[in-house]
Amino acid sequence: MKKAVSVFLLATLPALYGAAYANQTSTSVDGAIATEANNQVAAAENNIANTAEVALQSLLSDMKQFRADFAQTVVDADQNIVHEAQGVLTMTRPNKLRWETTFPDETLLIADGESVWNVDSFVEQVTVLSQSKAVEDNPIVLLTASDIATWNKFNIRKVDTSSVEGDDVAKQLSSFQVTPKELGGQISALTLTFNQNNELAALNMLDAQQQISTLVFKDIETRFPLAADTFTVAIPDSFIIDDQR
């Protein structure tokens, strides 16, 4: 309302004070109004972004443990299904993850906090990567990271899912989109969706090739006994180790 009033008063200046005065002042007043409006928009956007980041941090910080069955579907830019998988995802904070597929093939990926171990039983090979390099600028790192430096690498906003899910379902969900501040990474955007119990119910990843990978979780657990070897890898003697750390 204040902006509308200011614009109205500016429009009436020629009639009130003469054309010469308006010509002298309109540029500076216009500029001041535009600058103030831009500042207000920027402040509002920052407040919204900060609120979204705090909300997402709170949800994830409460998720000290997470284990669930997942169904994964990957579609290309033309919405053709290029891959489907099923398995179990286990995570603990900070920085530990176990991704185990049971269909269509048995595969295992473990992030132990320092290294990422990708076990390919079919070719009997294990590829080892530095975890910090493997997830650099990848939004997925926020699932298990809690340090401010990592969070500062990403922009976070709240997503309205009502147009996709319908109003009744959307009211039970909270969705957040995470995008890297630095462009050029493999993952362009990550959307995390939480159910009415504040549990991670789905995630959606858009990669640099415009492929979209969607994971839907079920049988979600957030409190469970954790086996000591959950994030360790036993490598058979016959396997080749490709250490790229």
Side-chain angles (χ1 to χ4, degrees):
M1 180 61 72
K2 289 182 179 179
K3 181 181 176 183
V5 171
S6 299
V7 172
F8 174 78
L9 289 175
L10 178 61
T12 62
L13 281 177
L16 294 175
Y17 299 103
Y21 176 84
N23 289 338
Q24 293 175 2
T25 61
S26 61
T27 300
S28 60
V29 174
D30 278 342
I33 291 175
T35 300
E36 178 62 21
N38 289 336
N39 289 340
Q40 290 178 2
V41 170
E45 289 177 346
N46 285 335
N47 287 336
I48 292 172
N50 290 338
T51 300
E53 180 173 334
V54 170
L56 181 57
Q57 284 179 337
S58 177
L59 287 167
L60 291 176
S61 65
D62 288 341
M63 197 175 75
K64 300 292 191 297
Q65 292 181 305
F66 180 88
R67 181 167 63 199
D69 296 339
F70 68 81
Q72 179 187 28
T73 304
V74 183
V75 298
D76 62 18
D78 296 320
Q79 299 301 301
N80 299 310
I81 297 176
V82 296
H83 179 69
E84 293 181 293
Q86 296 175 9
V88 180
L89 176 64
T90 306
M91 296 182 293
T92 65
R93 296 173 69 85
N95 304 324
K96 292 186 178 182
L97 177 148
R98 179 186 181 97
W99 169 282
E100 191 170 6
T101 63
T102 55
F103 173 85
D105 302 302
E106 293 185 0
T107 62
L108 177 63
L109 183 145
I110 288 179
D112 63 12
E114 295 182 357
S115 302
V116 175
W117 305 75
N118 188 8
V119 182
D120 190 331
S121 298
F122 182 75
V123 297
E124 297 189 343
Q125 178 173 306
V126 179
T127 303
V128 191
L129 305 171
S130 165
Q131 185 166 331
S132 60
K133 293 181 180 178
V135 298
E136 187 174 14
D137 297 326
N138 187 331
I140 201 76
V141 70
L142 296 188
L143 290 176
T144 58
S146 55
D147 60 289
I148 296 175
T150 298
W151 280 80
N152 284 342
K153 294 180 179 180
F154 303 96
N155 293 313
I156 299 164
R157 70 180 183 89
K158 192 81 161 53
V159 178
D160 181 6
T161 58
S162 59
S163 61
V164 178
E165 305 288 351
D167 289 339
D168 291 340
V169 176
K171 289 177 182 178
Q172 303 177 39
L173 303 175
S174 296
S175 292
F176 300 83
Q177 186 181 76
V178 184
T179 54
K181 292 180 180 178
E182 294 289 335
L183 301 179
Q186 182 59 30
I187 304 299
S188 302
L190 170 69
T191 301
L192 304 173
T193 299
F194 297 81
N195 61 23
Q196 65 271 26
N197 297 320
N198 292 334
E199 299 167 337
L200 182 63
L203 63 83
N204 181 291
M205 290 181 288
L206 172 67
D207 69 20
Q209 289 73 45
Q210 299 303 297
Q211 291 191 139
I212 299 175
S213 177
T214 301
L215 279 79
V216 178
F217 300 112
K218 67 176 184 178
D219 298 331
I220 299 168
E221 298 177 86
T222 56
R223 297 288 185 273
F224 52 88
L226 192 65
D229 61 351
T230 301
F231 303 109
T232 61
V233 181
I235 304 174
D237 293 337
S238 60
F239 278 37
I240 297 171
I241 300 177
D242 179 14
D243 195 335
Q244 300 181 18
R245 288 172 292 185

